């Protein structure tokens, strides 16, 4: 069995055991980590495969969350229909944003996504009759099915971990597929891919919509986890937090975004217990980690394991060479 398969099995096993060993607070923190890991994965799909740094991935989470809050709380639509419409509306928004940004490049793409995200954030503040303005929409809850309360921390954990693992595995397969290799080729040499007849703009557009949908799934869980939807998740601060987590963990890798989110949440939880200036300490740690490990934690671990396996290979080669 390959090492990456063993890593995946170990992570899945740890996620299964976690709620059995930990208390409700640790389980709720794990829920939050997996939700933001999806948002960071949405960012890294574009950054790692196309070199696009997007500041509107949390916007898709906010659009999905507001759709659920408005339709579920204000209009009382049933849970399955609300979630379906939220993801559909997120897909439509991703299509519109994709059409506006797909032909832009790097800095222009970054500024366009920033502008689009801030437009939606401003709309959530100013459209008070629909969004509730600064106060948002409270009372967002999941239903009870067959006596099982989906709002229970551990039941909610099962839902989140199932969907999160499924999406990460799907993206893992996507990275290894011809489409994933095409995205890498576009990042490395766009002109050559176009000369070879590959639909560059269409591939970019599809990747953008897929990333937006992942962000929308994160928004579904986020609004049910908080129980309220306000403009805060749509703000620039959340977008930069997700970007920081992805860069810290290694946005070029599959598990890097999740690792970065876990480290950030662990730092916030631990440091805040000892000082009120925990954000300054976290900022210093992030500064040092980015300076010392510019490619992210995941790639550092990957290089470490490669170096560890090289001496064994060389010893084996030497031994064989000495055989008569």
């Amino acid at each position: 069995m390959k090492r990456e398969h063993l890593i995946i099995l170990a992570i899945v096993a740890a996620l299964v055991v976690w709620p059995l060993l930990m208390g409700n607070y640790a389980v709720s923190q794990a829920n939050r980590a997996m939700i933001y890991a999806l948002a960071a994965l949405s960012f890294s799909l574009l950054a790692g495969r196309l070199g696009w740094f997007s500041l509107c991935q949390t916007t898709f989470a906010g659009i999905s969350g507001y759709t659920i809050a408005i339709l579920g709380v204000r209009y009382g639509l049933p849970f399955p229909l609300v979630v379906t419409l939220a993801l559909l509306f997120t897909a439509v928004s991703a299509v519109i944003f994709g059409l506006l940004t797909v032909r832009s490049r790097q800095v222009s793409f970054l500024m366009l996504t920033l502008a689009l995200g801030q437009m939606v954030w401003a709309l959530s503040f100013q459209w008070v009759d629909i969004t509730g303005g600064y106060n948002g929409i409270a009372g967002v809850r999941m239903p009870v099915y067959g006596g099982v309360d989906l709002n229970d921390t551990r039941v909610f954990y099962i839902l989140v971990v199932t969907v999160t693992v499924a999406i990460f595995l799907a993206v893992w397969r996507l990275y290894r597929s011809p489409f994933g290799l095409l995205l890498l080729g576009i990042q490395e040499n766009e002109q050559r891919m176009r000369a070879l007849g590959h639909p560059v703009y269409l591939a970019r557009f599809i990747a953008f919509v897929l990333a937006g949908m992942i962000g929308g799934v994160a928004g579904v869980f986020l609004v049910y986890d908080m129980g309220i939807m306000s403009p805060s998740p749509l703000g620039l601060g959340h977008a930069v937090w997700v970007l920081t987590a992805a860069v810290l963990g290694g946005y070029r890798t599959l598990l890097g975004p999740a690792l970065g989110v876990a480290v950030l949440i662990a730092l916030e939880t631990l440091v805040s217990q000892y000082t009120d200036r925990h954000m300054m300490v976290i900022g210093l740690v992030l500064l040092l980690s980015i300076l010392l490990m510019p490619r992210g934690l995941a790639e550092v671990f990957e290089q470490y394991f490669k170096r560890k396996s090289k001496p064994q290979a060389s010893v084996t080669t030497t031994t064989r060479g000495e055989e008569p």
Side-chain angles (χ1 to χ4, degrees):
M1 184 177 291
K2 295 182 178 179
R3 186 180 64 197
E4 57 190 11
H5 294 161
L6 292 175
I7 293 175
I8 292 174
L9 289 176
I11 293 173
V12 172
L15 291 174
V16 171
V17 173
W18 185 266
L20 302 177
L21 302 178
M22 299 297 175
N24 284 337
Y25 178 75
V27 174
S28 66
Q29 287 293 87
N31 288 337
R32 180 189 172 209
M34 287 186 288
I35 292 169
Y36 279 101
L38 287 176
L41 178 65
S42 171
F43 169 86
S44 68
L45 175 58
L46 298 177
R49 287 301 180 271
L50 286 172
W52 278 357
F53 286 76
S54 172
L55 289 175
C56 73
Q57 299 312 112
T58 52
T59 301
F60 295 121
I63 290 173
S64 177
Y66 264 115
T67 303
I68 288 176
I70 293 170
L71 297 180
V73 176
R74 293 191 181 277
Y75 295 97
L77 295 183
F79 170 73
L81 180 59
V82 165
V83 173
T84 302
L85 291 176
L87 295 178
L88 179 61
F89 193 57
T90 302
V92 172
S93 302
V95 168
I96 296 173
F97 285 17
L99 291 174
L100 294 173
T101 60
V102 71
R103 294 181 180 273
S104 59
R105 297 173 180 272
Q106 297 178 347
V107 177
S108 299
F109 177 82
L110 178 71
M111 297 306 296
L112 278 173
T113 56
L114 172 62
L116 291 169
Q118 291 303 290
M119 287 172 58
V120 178
W121 173 76
L123 183 65
S124 68
F125 258 114
Q126 297 172 3
W127 203 359
V128 179
D129 294 338
I130 300 296
T131 64
Y134 178 81
N135 294 322
I137 302 173
V140 183
R141 291 182 58 83
M142 301 182 81
V144 177
Y145 283 124
V148 178
D149 186 4
L150 300 182
N151 296 285
D152 181 79
T153 303
R154 297 177 186 275
V155 176
F156 187 67
Y157 176 89
I158 295 173
L159 292 176
V160 176
V161 76
T162 301
V163 175
T164 301
V165 170
I167 290 178
F168 267 84
L169 289 176
V171 173
W172 177 58
R173 294 295 301 170
L174 174 68
Y175 284 173
R176 293 168 166 269
S177 67
F179 180 73
L181 297 176
L182 173 60
L183 296 180
L184 280 177
I186 293 172
Q187 180 183 4
E188 294 295 330
N189 195 324
E190 179 183 337
Q191 297 299 329
R192 179 176 294 178
M193 291 297 105
R194 186 177 289 109
L196 292 172
H198 294 292
V200 172
Y201 290 134
L202 179 60
R204 284 178 170 180
F205 175 75
I206 294 174
F208 187 88
V209 174
L210 289 176
M213 288 298 297
I214 296 174
V217 174
V220 171
F221 288 121
L222 181 64
V223 68
Y224 284 119
D225 183 54
M226 297 189 303
I228 183 174
M229 192 63 209
S230 66
S232 177
L234 290 161
L236 181 60
H238 273 72
V240 173
W241 193 97
V242 168
L243 183 151
T244 304
V247 172
L248 174 64
Y251 63 87
R252 295 181 182 88
T253 63
L254 175 68
L255 298 177
L259 179 60
V261 167
V263 170
L264 277 186
I265 290 179
L267 280 175
E268 290 178 356
T269 304
L270 294 175
V271 178
S272 62
Q273 296 177 1
Y274 301 99
T275 175
D276 294 334
R277 295 186 174 90
H278 61 279
M279 292 306 298
M280 183 181 297
V281 178
I282 293 173
L284 179 61
V285 172
L286 293 178
L287 176 63
L288 292 175
S289 63
I290 291 174
L291 288 175
L292 298 176
M293 299 175 291
R295 298 180 68 85
L297 294 171
E299 293 197 21
V300 170
F301 291 147
E302 184 177 350
Q303 291 176 1
Y304 170 77
F305 286 119
K306 285 183 178 179
R307 290 175 184 173
K308 194 173 181 181
S309 60
K310 277 183 179 179
Q312 298 177 357
S314 61
V315 170
T316 304
T317 304
T318 305
T319 305
R320 289 178 179 175
E322 293 176 353
E323 290 179 357

